[in-house]
Amino acid sequence: MTNNLLSSILLPNKLLQEYEMTIKLKATESNTVTGNCFFNREVERKIISGKIEDGVQQLLTGQRRMGKSSIAREIGRQLVEEKGEIWNYIFVDIQACSSGAELVERLATELHRHAEFKTMLNTWFSFAGNHISKIEKLSVSDFTITLRDHLTAANWKNKGRELLQKIESSDKRTYLVLDEFPDVVTKVHTQEGTQGVEALMEWLRVETQAIANNKKISLLISGSIGLEPILQRLELSDKINHLASYRLKPWKREIAKNCFQALANYRNIPVEDDGIDYLLDQLGVYIPFHIQRSWAKLYEYLQEEDKVTATREDLEYVFKHIILKSESDSLISHYEERLNETLGDDYYKFSIYLLDEMCDGEPMDEHKANKLKIDPNIDVHYILKVLTHDGYLTEQDNYWVFEQSLLRQWWQKRKQFRVK
């Protein structure tokens, strides 16, 4: 019995609590986790999987480090494991793509890795001037290089459509994931402007509506940068109206506590219950990656100190002196970099200033925020919406406040570093 089936077990509360204390979860600090490293999310998996079965085209949203890529991969793994006779699964990481042509190239490359689709690509690949049989002899890298030379701004839309039609021609249905799609939109905007983004999104809209009719392809688009705020700023929000949006939320406290306990169980290390409660109080918002990372830091500390149990004092020390130690922590640098990619330079600078003003607990309304801006062209409402979407702020009665979370404490440290 795997840990991610826990929530579906029909046990009395007392027996369920005893069972939870025995779960063991292998630790990882990887950006994505599947299989034995994947924890919980059964309700979310059921909802998303149901839409996949129904042929619904989906947009998976949520804060950073929430596990969007992990749940997309885990659903694919389980789908093939349980229903591989009728389902294919293709996961395409398109984060590095900066054009529609590169997106089609990445999709074709992933299909080339798949035994069934590799054969189907023969006739499609002939546009690159190669003999039909040659694709069987090409390595993945050679295949990609050849595509790069022949996919252009003039032909990528048609070749992308043909590629999707090849996928549809399979006897099986296909669960197709385009991960980090908003990154592509951001890069296209940088290189081609709003017109380039509109062309990409219109192509996606037309093609997803076409494949929705046959229900042979179930598309899921996800990404760490919020797609909706980007398109709203460019006045292109209508381009994703055809996608069913699902927002992945933080864990509830009980689930987060169970996960931390399961990580400790894997190493057979007793952890004081009030120590875990202390840690969760400090995290505030229970993001799966932060639970995993907190355990990793605690375990490293226990090894260094040659300890076989963890007290509340140990958890307090690790949180205050290790997790919050570095003002230039790579994780908060990641948050800032992604914010810059979403907002652009001028908006980014103002958002940093705004968060610095708010991270000590100062509430903010639109009127007050507008008085802080130097550039009159900055849309404060849009910035507040992006910061809310990405988990920095929460709205309460027309006021925004910085979430009581690990991110806020990191930001306070970062603010001190910037001031120095």
Side-chain angles (χ1 to χ4, degrees):
M1 185 179 297
T2 57
N3 59 67
N4 62 332
L5 294 179
L6 173 62
S7 61
S8 62
I9 296 175
L10 299 178
L11 290 174
N13 287 338
K14 183 177 180 181
L15 292 179
L16 182 56
Q17 290 171 2
E18 291 175 356
Y19 175 75
E20 288 168 350
M21 295 298 291
T22 67
I23 303 171
K24 294 185 177 183
L25 178 66
K26 186 177 180 180
T28 176
E29 289 190 81
S30 172
N31 286 340
T32 58
V33 295
T34 58
N36 292 333
C37 294
F38 189 87
F39 191 83
N40 197 261
R41 293 297 193 192
E42 279 303 299
V43 173
E44 295 90 339
R45 189 191 70 83
K46 183 177 180 180
I47 292 171
I48 297 171
S49 295
K51 292 180 181 178
I52 291 170
E53 293 274 5
D54 292 340
V56 176
Q57 316 306 314
Q58 301 182 69
L59 173 64
L60 181 60
T61 69
Q63 297 176 30
R64 298 180 178 94
R65 306 290 188 174
M66 198 60 71
K68 296 182 292 296
S69 298
S70 293
I71 196 170
R73 287 181 181 273
E74 179 63 9
I75 288 171
R77 185 194 69 79
Q78 292 187 7
L79 193 63
V80 172
E81 184 178 282
E82 298 168 7
K83 301 180 180 181
E85 71 281 0
I86 58 174
W87 277 96
N88 292 309
Y89 158 53
I90 303 294
F91 186 97
V92 191
D93 184 346
I94 55 176
Q95 183 174 11
C97 300
S98 57
S99 67
E102 289 182 10
L103 186 156
V104 173
E105 171 202 309
R106 285 292 303 137
L107 174 56
T109 298
E110 288 304 318
L111 294 175
H112 184 269
R113 300 179 195 274
H114 198 289
E116 178 178 347
F117 290 117
K118 184 175 182 179
T119 302
M120 292 182 181
L121 289 177
N122 278 331
T123 53
W124 179 83
F125 189 67
S126 61
F127 80 97
N130 288 268
H131 190 271
I132 289 177
S133 63
K134 189 174 181 181
I135 190 174
E136 302 292 345
K137 302 176 182 179
L138 286 177
S139 66
V140 171
S141 59
D142 288 339
F143 176 79
T144 302
I145 291 171
T146 304
L147 280 182
R148 195 163 294 162
D149 291 337
H150 291 85
L151 280 169
T152 67
N155 70 7
W156 72 265
K157 293 180 182 179
N158 287 335
K159 302 315 295 183
R161 176 181 299 112
E162 292 172 10
L163 204 56
L164 292 172
Q165 290 171 347
K166 288 293 183 184
I167 299 175
E168 282 188 305
S169 70
S170 170
D171 293 334
K172 299 180 182 180
R173 297 179 66 186
T174 300
Y175 165 47
L176 172 63
V177 180
L178 297 182
D179 195 39
E180 305 296 356
F181 183 83
D183 286 74
V184 182
V185 173
T186 300
K187 291 181 175 68
V188 169
H189 182 253
T190 299
Q191 296 192 12
E192 303 176 29
T194 302
Q195 186 175 1
V197 174
E198 185 172 13
L200 174 65
M201 297 308 302
E202 180 61 20
W203 174 83
L204 180 71
R205 185 186 66 81
V206 171
E207 299 308 325
T208 51
Q209 288 180 331
I211 63 179
N213 293 329
N214 295 329
K215 298 187 182 299
K216 290 293 296 293
I217 300 175
S218 293
L219 175 67
L220 186 143
I221 292 173
S222 63
S224 298
I225 301 174
L227 181 58
E228 302 101 314
I230 297 172
L231 295 180
Q232 179 188 352
R233 182 181 176 189
L234 301 179
E235 299 182 348
L236 297 174
S237 298
D238 61 311
K239 301 300 182 182
I240 55 172
N241 289 344
H242 60 288
L243 299 174
S245 180
Y246 183 80
R247 185 167 180 82
L248 197 61
K249 298 177 182 178
W251 274 335
K252 293 181 179 179
R253 186 182 179 100
E254 181 182 2
I255 299 298
K257 189 169 185 177
N258 290 341
C259 179
F260 196 90
Q261 184 66 63
L263 292 165
N265 290 345
Y266 184 85
R267 293 293 183 180
N268 297 316
I269 294 178
V271 182
E272 289 185 358
D273 194 61
D274 64 340
I276 301 179
D277 284 330
Y278 164 81
L279 175 67
L280 296 178
D281 288 342
Q282 302 310 306
L283 295 180
V285 177
Y286 312 122
I287 297 174
F289 180 82
H290 293 167
I291 301 295
Q292 286 270 8
R293 183 174 182 271
S294 296
W295 164 254
K297 296 301 182 185
L298 174 64
Y299 183 59
E300 288 173 8
Y301 169 77
L302 295 175
Q303 286 182 302
E304 291 169 355
E305 298 298 317
D306 197 24
K307 293 186 175 184
V308 294
T309 62
T311 65
R312 177 190 169 102
E313 288 72 25
D314 292 324
L315 281 143
E316 286 188 23
Y317 180 87
V318 168
F319 186 82
K320 293 177 180 178
H321 301 285
I322 298 178
I323 294 176
L324 291 178
K325 180 180 179 180
S326 175
E327 290 87 352
S328 57
D329 188 284
S330 61
L331 283 179
I332 197 161
S333 296
H334 169 80
Y335 268 85
E336 290 189 26
E337 290 163 5
R338 304 294 268 181
L339 197 60
N340 194 5
E341 290 175 8
T342 305
L343 293 173
D345 192 49
D346 291 339
Y347 275 44
Y348 165 74
K349 290 178 180 177
F350 180 74
S351 70
I352 296 297
Y353 176 67
L354 200 61
L355 290 171
D356 281 350
E357 289 291 306
M358 299 177 66
C359 69
D360 293 324
E362 182 72 18
M364 188 75 63
D365 61 18
E366 273 195 56
H367 176 71
K368 185 175 181 180
N370 270 300
K371 291 176 67 175
L372 295 175
K373 67 181 184 182
I374 299 176
D375 185 349
N377 295 317
I378 288 178
D379 184 346
V380 167
H381 180 78
Y382 169 72
I383 291 178
L384 289 171
K385 186 169 183 177
V386 170
L387 295 177
T388 302
H389 181 280
D390 284 3
Y392 296 89
L393 308 179
T394 185
E395 186 178 0
Q396 301 174 356
D397 300 324
N398 295 321
Y399 280 85
W400 281 263
V401 296
F402 212 121
E403 283 270 21
Q404 292 282 350
S405 65
L406 173 61
L407 178 57
R408 176 178 169 181
Q409 295 189 63
W410 268 336
W411 206 274
Q412 289 171 330
K413 289 283 186 180
R414 188 70 165 188
K415 176 184 176 181
Q416 296 172 8
F417 180 73
R418 273 195 291 270
V419 171
K420 292 179 183 178

